[in-house]
Amino acid sequence: THDLQRLKKTHTLVTVGDLVKEKKVSVDTGVEIGKMAYGTGTIPFIRTSDFSNWEIKADFKHGVSRDVYDEYQGRIDVEPGDILMVRDGTYLIGTTAIVTQSDVPMLFQSHIFRIRALAKKELDPWLLFACLNAPIVKRQIKAKQFTQDIIDTLGKRLFEVVLPIPKNARIRKKIGEETRRVIEMRVKLRNRASE
């Protein structure tokens, strides 16, 4: 809290819950499709182990058929710019990946949050992604995870996490653009490698 207070002059401090209440962000979880659906097709079913360095691994473990995808897609959709965050697990909680054009279509499991910027003009998804990965936010997530049954979870405590959003519009734009550039370059390289 002391570290957050020091940012007050230069940053707007806002909780994820406030952003949801203000309809600037939505938070949902994925679906469980059952092991029988694994390996039925080529549409990714993303699990917590498919995250790596802000990206969804190109060699995801489980693919599903178009029929399975169609059955669940109505419950939870995914679009470029969505942020996936590990909700349950142990050391992976809080790990994020941002969805790009080459990641869709996809389904993702219930141990993952889908965080979507709804007011993109007010809150750029790339800036939101950078804020969720700020060390001060990562520390809060670590402090808020708790054990439920046998696994750790962040659960609804995600809504208590305070995001520091720079007040300076130029800085906000710069952070968003740089984050986007880094991810898009990596996606390009990943796609080239798989070709």
Side-chain angles (χ1 to χ4, degrees):
T1 30
H2 183 65
D3 289 345
L4 279 166
Q5 291 313 310
R6 285 208 310 249
L7 290 173
K8 257 192 150 144
K9 273 196 187 91
T10 53
H11 293 71
T12 302
L13 303 178
V14 61
T15 66
V16 172
D18 289 339
L19 290 173
V20 170
K21 267 194 215 106
E22 293 164 12
K23 301 211 178 336
K24 289 181 182 168
V25 163
S26 70
V27 177
D28 288 290
T29 54
V31 293
E32 284 311 317
I33 60 172
K35 284 187 167 64
M36 297 298 285
Y38 293 177
T40 55
T42 57
I43 295 172
F45 177 65
I46 299 303
R47 296 160 71 212
T48 58
S49 55
D50 294 316
F51 284 46
S52 170
N53 302 327
W54 291 5
E55 296 179 300
I56 293 149
K57 290 179 186 170
D59 58 346
F60 58 89
K61 290 193 184 63
H62 298 293
V64 299
S65 67
R66 175 56 70 172
D67 288 348
V68 171
Y69 173 76
D70 289 343
E71 185 184 330
Y72 288 95
Q73 194 260 336
R75 279 189 236 171
I76 189 80
D77 66 315
V78 184
E79 58 188 45
D82 285 349
I83 297 161
L84 301 183
M85 177 188 277
V86 177
R87 182 182 88 146
D88 311 311
T90 42
Y91 62 95
L92 287 173
I93 290 177
T95 304
T96 56
I98 192 160
V99 177
T100 65
Q101 197 59 56
S102 56
D103 297 317
V104 288
M106 75 156 71
L107 293 173
F108 62 96
Q109 73 176 162
S110 62
H111 299 297
I112 297 171
F113 285 122
R114 184 207 65 197
I115 302 168
R116 177 177 288 170
L118 298 172
K120 290 182 175 64
K121 283 211 166 56
E122 287 175 62
L123 183 58
D124 175 49
W126 299 96
L127 174 65
L128 176 60
F129 183 71
C131 290
L132 287 164
N133 282 284
I136 200 160
V137 173
K138 292 288 197 193
R139 286 200 300 275
Q140 290 178 71
I141 288 169
K142 195 136 221 61
K144 288 183 186 299
Q145 69 187 62
F146 61 98
T147 304
Q148 190 174 28
D149 300 327
I150 51 169
I151 64 166
D152 283 5
T153 185
L154 179 57
K156 289 205 169 14
R157 288 187 179 174
L158 170 68
F159 298 111
E160 300 163 14
V161 171
V162 177
L163 301 181
I165 300 171
K167 288 180 179 174
N168 184 312
R170 207 169 41 88
I171 293 172
R172 285 199 306 271
K173 191 170 190 277
K174 187 174 180 232
I175 292 170
E177 283 172 358
E178 282 181 16
T179 306
R180 181 179 198 143
R181 228 189 347 265
V182 168
I183 304 278
E184 286 180 346
M185 178 55 74
R186 279 156 81 175
V187 169
K188 232 179 242 148
L189 294 170
R190 187 183 79 191
N191 292 346
R192 284 245 303 274
S194 63
E195 276 167 31

